[in-house]
Amino acid sequence: MNIKQAKEEIANTLKAYQTRDDLGNYLIPAVRQRPVLLMGPPGIGKTQIMEQIASETGVGLVAYTITHHTRQSAVGLPFIEKRTYGGREFSVTEYTMSEILASVYDLMERTGIKEGILFLDEINCVSETLAPMMLQFLQCKTFGNQKLPEGWLIAAAGNPPEYNKSVRDFDVVTLDRVKRIDVEEDFAVWKEYARRRGLHGAVVSYLDIKKENFYRIETTVDGIQFATARGWEDLSELIYAYEKLGLPVDREVVEQYIQLPRIARDFTGYLELYRKYQRTYRVEEILAGKWTAAAVSELRTAPFDEKLSVLGLLLSRLSQEAGRVRAQDALADTLHTDLTALKARLTGGTVAGEALRDLEQFRRESMERAAAAGQLDREHRTMDQRELEILARYRQDLLDGDIADKDAMDAVRGWFATEVEVRKAAVQAAGQCFDNAFGYLEETFSDSQELVIFVTEITAGYDTSWFVEHFGCDAYFRHNRELLFDDSRRRIREEIAAERSGE
């Protein structure tokens, strides 16, 4: 299955394991709660889905790359304990708590979360001395004489032997005690994830054109060469940073992430074209509604891959604009909840500055607990930080303005209205960008396949589809009618295939 299906299956497994009967006992007894063994090639997102599941379900997450551990750190150190049997004292070997199990208990103590996922990566690459202990853990959920707490799902990940010479095969006894999920790379699923995470437009549009370069591992005379999903995502982050710093992204830089020279060289060339298209077609001017007749004519007669690249540029910018609206919308909703809590505190007689300080502290502690539990991704961390900054500013403004407690709520409402206006302005700006993009493409392509591709990509994009659903876009709905007909979709695919085969 693909990584998205694997994520859904693991989330369903977690839900099933945590379901209790009428007496409060787990519906599936702990002894029957098999560890999940996720097997698949490296770099396809096995670790990321664990983080997503924890964030989306609210459980804790403790993650380890097991190859970093020795037998002592995983099992614990031995020590001598004195015991009496039949009136005689004996020296008995005991073990300290495993570092891994201790991390689970630490998380429970810090966060108050009693259920979660213990994720062990590279499970089939452990050392010879540690291998028996890991097999025991998968089978019995114990390290030495200490057991994993109930309510915790063991999820382990490993690579098939063709990808790693250090891999150890599991025996039948172990395999018969795990829930094995085999996962394969899937560009369509990764592309959905890439749009959701805001990966660089050059990476997404390049792979949309050269899907065969998304994931490749080749054995050559120079050794193993590869391009993986992890490599493309990390390269995207670097490109953003280098662009901000004004640093060049050349082939040598790309090869540090895409370690298959042929693909690295090809992407470097495409990145140069991508930037050329940015300059040539002046995407920002198009979104501002200021395109020229030359820009229309040039794109209309351009090669098909160039058209796709320009569509990618437009989609990337629309996704950014829609993402800003979504973030501001979420912030406004969160602040509205804060104001409701503030009003309740003020009604109860709490001093305004103290009420805001308490609310700020509560939000900060919630953020810290989520981070400690492995639930805080970058998007939520950013929103939490913005919320804390605004609450702190409200408190300081009350102090600087020497505003009386009886007037505090009205003052805070006024400041909150500013955030609502920012949201409204962001919606209007993004909506205008959508309208202008459609206007330019309608003038360029009329009702041809390029418009249908554009509408399809907006539908598939997380932020763009969210924006259209919440705020509408007349041009989108007008063109989207074509996608209701299967014959139209089939015709488009055939036209694209025919055009590409004729290049």
Side-chain angles (χ1 to χ4, degrees), residues 391-409:
L391 290 176
R393 187 171 72 242
Y394 287 173
R395 179 165 53 84
Q396 189 62 44
D397 287 348
L398 286 176
L399 180 64
D400 293 343
D402 196 22
I403 298 173
D405 288 342
K406 64 182 181 63
D407 300 320
M409 196 65 213

Side-chain angles (χ1 to χ4, degrees), residues 286-328:
I286 290 173
L287 296 181
K290 300 177 181 178
W291 62 85
T292 64
V296 170
S297 177
E298 189 163 2
L299 185 59
R300 183 182 295 148
T301 58
F304 187 65
D305 283 355
E306 183 171 332
K307 293 175 181 177
L308 289 182
S309 296
V310 175
L311 290 180
L313 282 164
L314 291 169
L315 287 164
S316 179
R317 284 291 292 112
L318 290 180
S319 183
Q320 290 174 6
E321 292 297 320
R324 290 192 186 98
V325 174
R326 187 171 58 81
Q328 187 63 33

Side-chain angles (χ1 to χ4, degrees), residues 325-338:
V325 174
R326 187 171 58 81
Q328 187 63 33
D329 186 74
L331 179 63
D333 284 347
T334 299
L335 288 173
H336 184 268
T337 301
D338 291 338

Side-chain angles (χ1 to χ4, degrees), residues 91-158:
S91 296
V92 179
T93 301
E94 293 281 355
Y95 284 88
T96 60
M97 180 174 283
S98 158
E99 176 188 330
I100 296 173
L101 292 184
S103 295
V104 172
Y105 283 104
D106 284 343
L107 184 145
M108 294 167 66
E109 288 291 322
R110 292 197 312 270
T111 66
I113 295 174
K114 301 304 181 183
E115 297 177 322
I117 301 170
L118 173 58
F119 177 60
L120 305 175
D121 200 7
E122 300 184 11
I123 188 69
N124 56 345
C125 295
V126 297
S127 65
E128 185 175 352
T129 58
L130 184 55
M133 301 299 102
M134 294 310 305
L135 296 182
Q136 176 199 7
F137 185 65
L138 290 179
Q139 293 174 19
C140 307
K141 302 180 184 175
T142 61
F143 276 130
N145 57 0
Q146 298 169 40
K147 195 174 184 67
L148 181 72
E150 286 191 341
W152 281 77
L153 165 69
I154 300 172

Side-chain angles (χ1 to χ4, degrees), residues 37-94:
L37 178 60
L38 191 63
M39 297 294 291
I44 62 172
K46 297 189 291 293
T47 302
Q48 285 91 334
I49 65 170
M50 299 301 169
E51 297 170 352
Q52 293 167 27
I53 292 170
S55 176
E56 292 167 9
T57 60
V59 302
L61 174 65
V62 173
Y64 276 98
T65 299
I66 203 64
T67 51
H68 297 167
H69 282 270
T70 64
R71 185 181 185 278
Q72 288 75 22
S73 63
V75 179
L77 293 171
F79 65 91
I80 304 301
E81 183 68 68
K82 297 292 185 179
R83 293 190 182 177
T84 301
Y85 299 112
R88 294 179 58 192
E89 186 176 74
F90 293 88
S91 296
V92 179
T93 301
E94 293 281 355

Side-chain angles (χ1 to χ4, degrees), residues 27-292:
L27 195 61
I28 300 177
V31 69
R32 297 298 177 198
Q33 294 183 7
R34 292 189 172 198
V36 172
L37 178 60
L38 191 63
M39 297 294 291
I44 62 172
K46 297 189 291 293
T47 302
Q48 285 91 334
I49 65 170
M50 299 301 169
E51 297 170 352
Q52 293 167 27
I53 292 170
S55 176
E56 292 167 9
T57 60
V59 302
L61 174 65
V62 173
Y64 276 98
T65 299
I66 203 64
T67 51
H68 297 167
H69 282 270
T70 64
R71 185 181 185 278
Q72 288 75 22
S73 63
V75 179
L77 293 171
F79 65 91
I80 304 301
E81 183 68 68
K82 297 292 185 179
R83 293 190 182 177
T84 301
Y85 299 112
R88 294 179 58 192
E89 186 176 74
F90 293 88
S91 296
V92 179
T93 301
E94 293 281 355
Y95 284 88
T96 60
M97 180 174 283
S98 158
E99 176 188 330
I100 296 173
L101 292 184
S103 295
V104 172
Y105 283 104
D106 284 343
L107 184 145
M108 294 167 66
E109 288 291 322
R110 292 197 312 270
T111 66
I113 295 174
K114 301 304 181 183
E115 297 177 322
I117 301 170
L118 173 58
F119 177 60
L120 305 175
D121 200 7
E122 300 184 11
I123 188 69
N124 56 345
C125 295
V126 297
S127 65
E128 185 175 352
T129 58
L130 184 55
M133 301 299 102
M134 294 310 305
L135 296 182
Q136 176 199 7
F137 185 65
L138 290 179
Q139 293 174 19
C140 307
K141 302 180 184 175
T142 61
F143 276 130
N145 57 0
Q146 298 169 40
K147 195 174 184 67
L148 181 72
E150 286 191 341
W152 281 77
L153 165 69
I154 300 172
N159 301 321
E162 61 265 30
Y163 298 106
N164 195 325
K165 294 180 180 178
S166 302
V167 162
R168 296 175 178 275
D169 290 330
F170 292 113
D171 56 32
V172 174
V173 175
T174 301
L175 291 175
D176 195 34
R177 286 171 168 80
V178 300
K179 177 174 180 172
R180 176 168 176 157
I181 299 176
D182 291 300
V183 62
E184 298 177 345
E185 68 277 5
D186 186 316
F187 173 71
V189 169
W190 182 85
K191 180 181 173 183
E192 180 181 333
Y193 165 81
R195 292 289 193 202
R196 175 73 175 83
R197 293 295 294 267
L199 266 64
H200 198 281
V203 171
V204 177
S205 60
Y206 169 77
L207 293 175
D208 212 16
I209 297 169
K210 300 286 184 72
K211 295 179 178 62
E212 66 277 9
N213 291 342
F214 164 59
Y215 194 99
R216 296 188 70 87
I217 296 181
E218 299 178 0
T219 302
T220 71
V221 293
D222 297 321
I224 295 180
Q225 299 178 343
F226 52 89
T228 68
R230 180 192 295 123
W232 289 114
E233 183 171 2
D234 291 347
L235 176 60
S236 169
E237 297 283 353
L238 188 85
I239 293 174
Y240 276 130
Y242 271 34
E243 286 178 344
K244 186 173 183 178
L245 295 170
L247 299 174
V249 180
D250 54 24
R251 191 180 73 184
E252 286 72 20
V253 171
V254 174
E255 284 183 345
Q256 295 163 13
Y257 294 83
I258 307 304
Q259 299 181 47
L260 204 163
R262 168 175 51 82
I263 295 178
R265 183 169 54 252
D266 192 46
F267 174 73
T268 304
Y270 177 81
L271 184 59
E272 293 176 359
L273 283 175
Y274 186 85
R275 288 169 174 161
K276 174 189 172 185
Y277 298 152
Q278 283 180 313
R279 297 189 299 270
T280 300
Y281 293 99
R282 300 180 179 180
V283 170
E284 295 303 321
E285 293 185 11
I286 290 173
L287 296 181
K290 300 177 181 178
W291 62 85
T292 64

